[in-house]
Amino acid sequence: MLVELLHRLMNLVLPPTSFITLLFFVPPYYFFKLLLSAINSVFSENLSGKVVLITGASSGIGEQLAYQYARRGANLVLVARRKKALEEVADNAHYHGAPDVLAIKADVSKVDECRRFIDEAVNHFGRLDHLVNNAGISSVCMFEESGDIANFAPIMDINFWGAVYPTYFAVPQLRKSNGRIVVTASAAGWLPTPRMSYYNASKAALINFFDGLRTEFGSDIKITIATPGYIESELTQGKFLMKDGNTEVDQDMRDVQIGPAPVLRAEQCARGIVNSACRGDRYVTEPAWFKAAYLWRVFCPELLEWMMRMLLMTGTGSSETDALTKKILDITGAKYFFYPDSIRAQSELKTD
């Protein structure tokens, strides 16, 4: 009885008390954060000679992250499943200024391979300063049309466990170097996007997992979580895991999911992520305007869900490509202004 009364009292007192407290606390708090960010921009981390490991480094954001770190003089360990593409990125990273680059073919969804490439990195360089968990794949499918839902296990295996496994094995080295973990999550982690529930869930899991680790690690290991929006990559080129379990390139479906939204070039996104990591930022969203969607999610979730449904869903019996997003894209021709050339052509995109 006493506990029940206590809960009733807390229900009455804590919400309004918290609201009033935040009204006074938030302005000086954000002023302090802005000041600290300005100071950190001037005295950002010097990466020259440090060792950075990047997963999913053979294309897209991962490739551009490699070049951004290379320009800052970092030694690189590049990990991906496609050896030939990875070696090309390694050669380019040398050209951009990386003193030494180690390319390792590995699958982040396999725990033994994650242990192996962390060990290889440490054996080669003797240290590890930044771990960049970037590897990821996307899916597109209405939940009720999933068929065998086990087909979507790779989404969590790669996007979530593919970041957890390397982190686990890298932690001892990162503690020694007082290093940093950079996580490429996604704005999809807090956007209620239809047909991408599995992908959204994997990215939400990433955000929450590494938020928890930040509390555990304290100042021993810093963490920067990136939540990119629509970025030039194989994902925005239309490479999806489909309901039959196969990976295909479907640019019509891509047009439905993105619609007439501008797609940021991967180089700009990677530059923003590395700059934020060197400043010591906890979070970074590229492009920055995508943060507006998060505000709608927090303050008006019903309106955001209604808008996503109106734009992306179609009526019973209608084709998915009849979605309002694609109609607007086709009528306006916005694709030719808002989409980079690299994601408008699919001729050489591999689906392995």
Side-chain angles (χ1 to χ4, degrees), residues 80-334:
R81 290 182 293 184
R82 292 175 295 190
K83 184 67 172 178
K84 183 178 179 181
L86 196 63
E87 289 173 344
E88 291 176 358
V89 175
D91 289 341
N92 291 335
H94 274 299
Y95 173 79
H96 285 295
D100 192 4
V101 182
L102 178 64
I104 304 175
K105 179 182 178 181
D107 185 343
V108 296
S109 68
K110 298 178 180 178
V111 64
D112 289 339
E113 295 198 19
C114 292
R115 180 190 290 109
R116 173 176 61 81
F117 67 68
I118 295 295
D119 287 345
E120 285 189 36
V122 175
N123 289 338
H124 184 86
F125 289 107
R127 61 182 296 166
L128 181 62
D129 297 280
H130 280 211
L131 169 65
V132 184
N133 290 310
N134 171 77
I137 60 172
S138 184
S139 64
V140 61
C141 178
M142 295 290 286
F143 178 68
E144 292 178 285
E145 298 174 0
S146 298
D148 184 358
I149 59 174
N151 287 335
F152 294 91
I155 296 293
M156 193 62 74
D157 291 342
I158 295 172
N159 295 3
F160 178 69
W161 290 109
V164 174
Y165 294 152
T167 298
Y168 180 79
F169 298 116
V171 162
Q173 297 300 323
L174 293 172
R175 282 195 183 277
K176 289 180 184 178
S177 63
N178 196 219
R180 177 172 297 278
I181 299 170
V182 180
V183 184
T184 305
S186 172
W190 31 261
L191 269 178
T193 314
R195 303 185 190 90
M196 301 192 74
S197 299
Y198 297 105
Y199 177 76
N200 294 357
S202 70
K203 295 300 185 178
L206 267 184
I207 294 169
N208 283 278
F209 179 81
F210 282 96
D211 274 340
L213 285 193
R214 186 188 282 116
T215 307
E216 292 185 18
F217 294 154
S219 60
D220 292 348
I221 302 173
K222 284 80 69 180
I223 297 177
T224 297
I225 300 175
T227 51
Y230 299 131
I231 309 297
E232 173 192 26
S233 67
E234 291 184 349
L235 275 64
T236 51
Q237 197 171 10
K239 183 177 178 180
F240 300 114
L241 180 66
M242 309 301 278
K243 60 185 177 182
D244 59 3
N246 294 319
T247 300
E248 299 176 10
V249 177
D250 187 338
Q251 293 197 320
D252 285 335
M253 204 68 247
R254 182 275 314 273
D255 291 351
V256 170
Q257 296 302 116
I258 297 178
V263 177
L264 186 69
R265 291 194 176 276
E267 181 181 359
Q268 292 176 263
C269 176
R271 186 186 304 118
I273 291 173
V274 176
N275 285 343
S276 288
C278 291
R279 282 197 305 265
D281 294 347
R282 293 161 57 89
Y283 304 98
V284 54
T285 300
E286 292 289 343
W289 63 263
F290 242 86
K291 296 176 184 177
Y294 181 74
L295 296 176
W296 282 94
R297 173 63 186 265
V298 172
F299 294 105
C300 305
E302 297 89 353
L303 287 177
L304 180 61
E305 290 164 13
W306 172 82
M307 185 164 36
M308 298 295 277
R309 185 173 180 82
M310 179 189 70
L311 291 171
L312 292 163
M313 297 292 289
T314 57
T316 304
S318 300
S319 169
E320 292 177 322
T321 55
D322 289 334
L324 185 57
T325 46
K326 181 163 173 55
K327 288 181 178 179
I328 295 173
L329 187 70
D330 292 341
I331 291 171
T332 61

